[in-house]
């Protein structure tokens, strides 16, 4: 739960910083009651403010709040010594016999001219509910109080929220006007011959798209000429191989190689015939035929 609350407070202070230009260290105006309650709950007041505001703080106290601590019953010297370490904010009420109450004193410090502006960007840390209700009417005043030993920062009041929304709308309208009145964004023109880089040649006028005013019908551009089919959907023609009408002349190198190979084969055959001895046929004599016995039938 503590981490979720810290995230909300960080986001809230970021919105105050964007809309009302709050910066660290934050100027925190303390009253006497919150100092007394922090001591009662045994809280470290400055450390709690740093955790709540998610940044460095500059605690401040008015002269009237210091007089309230002096006149408190029972009088606590340790609280007075602690309050003396804070920066003193002059409220110019020290000439009065009795100090002003917390509502009148802090209201005169935050908004002295009743113009509903927090000129010095103060953060109010007070236990006075009436003072916080009055500060909600002034835009841009963060409010902090202690509830059961827990330091709480109030969400944005309706007056502060209204100023923030107007600021956001103003930025949005300024952006639209700047886009209409300014130069249209697009590609840079090509560097043509005879023109400096980034400049267009004389005679080349670049057409800029015009933004129609609110309420005017948008004119559609007509495309000239017949539309060509999609090149991806067109079927490519098949290429058929054409027969050779004229016979190619024989290659001379190929004929020479074939003749050389034929000569090699013939030479090899002749060498084999020369190596092999020739067989002579043996003729039969008359004595050999007489010695052969006749074959009997049966």
């Amino acid at each position: 739960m503590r981490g979720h609350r810290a995230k909300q407070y960080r986001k809230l202070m970021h919105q105050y910083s964007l809309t009302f230009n709050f910066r660290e260290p934050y100027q925190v105006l303390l009253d006497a009651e919150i100092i007394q309650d922090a001591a009662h709950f045994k809280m470290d007041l400055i450390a709690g403010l740093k955790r709540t505001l998610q940044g460095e703080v500059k605690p401040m106290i008015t002269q009237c709040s210091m007089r309230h601590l002096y006149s408190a019953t029972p009088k606590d010297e340790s609280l007075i010594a602690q309050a003396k370490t804070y920066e003193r904010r002059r409220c110019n009420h020290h000439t009065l016999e009795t100090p002003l109450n917390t509502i009148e004193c802090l209201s005169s410090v935050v908004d002295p001219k009743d113009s509903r502006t927090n000129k010095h960007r103060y953060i109010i840390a007070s236990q006075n509910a009436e003072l916080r209700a009055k500060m909600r009417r002034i835009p841009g005043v963060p409010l902090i109080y202690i509830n059961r030993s827990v330091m709480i920062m109030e969400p944005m009041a309706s007056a502060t929220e209204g100023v923030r929304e107007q600021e956001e709308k103003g930025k949005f309208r300024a952006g639209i006007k700047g886009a209409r009145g300014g130069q249209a964004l697009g590609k840079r023109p090509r560097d043509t011959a005879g023109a400096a880089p980034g400049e267009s040649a004389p005679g080349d006028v670049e057409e800029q798209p015009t933004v129609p005013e609110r309420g005017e019908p948008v004119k559609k551009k007509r495309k000239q000429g017949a539309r060509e089919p999609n090149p991806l959907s067109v079927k490519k023609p098949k290429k058929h191989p054409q027969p050779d009408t004229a016979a190619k002349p024989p290659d001379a190198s190929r004929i020479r190689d074939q003749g050389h190979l034929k000569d090699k084969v013939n030479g090899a055959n002749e060498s084999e015939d020369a190596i092999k001895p020739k067989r002579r046929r043996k003729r039969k004599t008359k004595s050999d035929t007489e010695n052969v016995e006749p074959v009997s039938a049966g």
Side-chain angles (χ1 to χ4, degrees):
M1 185 64 183
R2 183 178 296 178
H4 180 65
R5 190 185 297 118
K7 187 177 180 180
Q8 286 182 341
Y9 293 163
R10 189 185 304 111
K11 184 178 179 181
L12 189 58
M13 287 309 301
H14 181 65
Q15 292 175 355
Y16 277 113
S17 300
L18 292 178
T19 308
F20 301 99
N21 201 22
F22 275 79
R23 294 292 181 268
E24 295 185 33
Y26 302 118
Q27 299 184 120
V28 184
L29 274 176
L30 305 169
D31 66 347
E33 294 180 19
I34 197 169
I35 296 174
Q36 293 170 349
D37 287 353
H40 175 71
F41 293 117
K42 298 180 180 180
M43 289 178 58
D44 189 349
L45 183 59
I46 306 303
L49 289 172
K50 290 180 180 179
R51 286 194 304 270
T52 304
L53 297 175
Q54 300 290 314
E56 295 295 326
V57 298
K58 183 190 290 185
M60 308 178 76
I61 190 169
T62 62
Q63 295 170 336
C64 293
S65 297
M66 282 296 300
R67 295 172 69 180
H68 291 160
L69 290 176
Y70 277 106
S71 62
T73 52
K75 185 178 180 180
D76 194 340
E77 295 292 341
S78 62
L79 294 182
I80 295 173
Q82 177 184 348
K84 286 181 179 179
T85 60
Y86 304 152
E87 184 176 335
R88 191 69 59 88
R89 181 64 175 87
R90 294 181 181 180
C91 57
N92 299 326
H93 300 150
H94 60 281
T95 57
L96 302 176
E97 294 183 1
T98 58
L100 293 180
N101 58 26
T102 305
I103 301 173
E104 294 176 356
C105 180
L106 294 185
S107 298
S108 64
V109 172
V110 175
D111 189 14
K113 298 181 180 180
D114 293 332
S115 58
R116 291 190 177 183
T117 55
N118 184 11
K119 181 180 178 181
H120 300 286
R121 301 173 187 86
Y122 289 119
I123 298 173
I124 302 299
S126 173
Q127 295 294 96
N128 195 315
E130 295 181 7
L131 173 64
R132 296 199 304 272
K134 187 175 182 179
M135 290 293 109
R136 291 190 197 102
R137 302 171 190 171
I138 303 174
V141 183
L143 302 174
I144 295 175
Y145 66 96
I146 297 175
N147 183 18
R148 295 181 182 181
S149 72
V150 178
M151 189 170 289
I152 297 173
M153 181 165 60
E154 292 186 3
M156 277 190 177
S158 57
T160 305
E161 192 70 27
V163 172
R164 190 182 71 85
E165 289 180 358
Q166 290 179 1
E167 188 77 15
E168 293 295 330
K169 288 180 180 179
K171 290 179 181 179
F172 182 71
R173 289 172 183 170
I176 293 178
K177 288 181 181 178
R180 286 181 177 178
Q183 186 178 3
L185 299 177
K187 295 183 178 179
R188 293 190 302 173
R190 293 183 178 179
D191 295 336
T192 55
E199 298 180 357
S200 58
D204 295 342
V205 180
E206 205 174 318
E207 296 183 358
Q208 295 183 356
T210 57
V211 180
E213 297 294 336
R214 186 175 295 176
E216 292 184 1
V218 181
K219 297 181 180 180
K220 295 183 178 179
K221 295 182 179 180
R222 294 183 178 180
K223 296 183 178 179
Q224 299 179 356
R227 295 181 63 184
E228 297 181 358
N230 188 358
L232 299 177
S233 62
V234 175
K235 203 169 185 181
K236 295 182 179 180
K238 294 183 178 179
K239 295 182 180 180
H240 299 284
Q242 298 180 358
D244 297 337
T245 54
K248 293 183 180 180
D251 194 359
S253 60
R254 188 175 178 185
I255 295 172
R256 185 170 59 252
D257 294 340
Q258 290 180 356
H260 184 61
L261 182 62
K262 188 175 182 181
D263 294 340
K264 277 187 176 181
V265 173
N266 294 336
N269 294 335
E270 290 177 1
S271 60
E272 287 180 2
D273 294 340
I275 293 170
K276 284 184 178 181
K278 293 183 179 180
R279 290 184 63 184
R280 294 182 178 180
R281 185 176 179 183
K282 189 178 180 181
R283 296 182 178 180
K284 294 181 180 182
T285 60
K286 188 176 181 181
S287 59
D288 294 332
T289 55
E290 290 178 357
N291 294 331
V292 175
E293 293 181 0
V295 179
S296 60

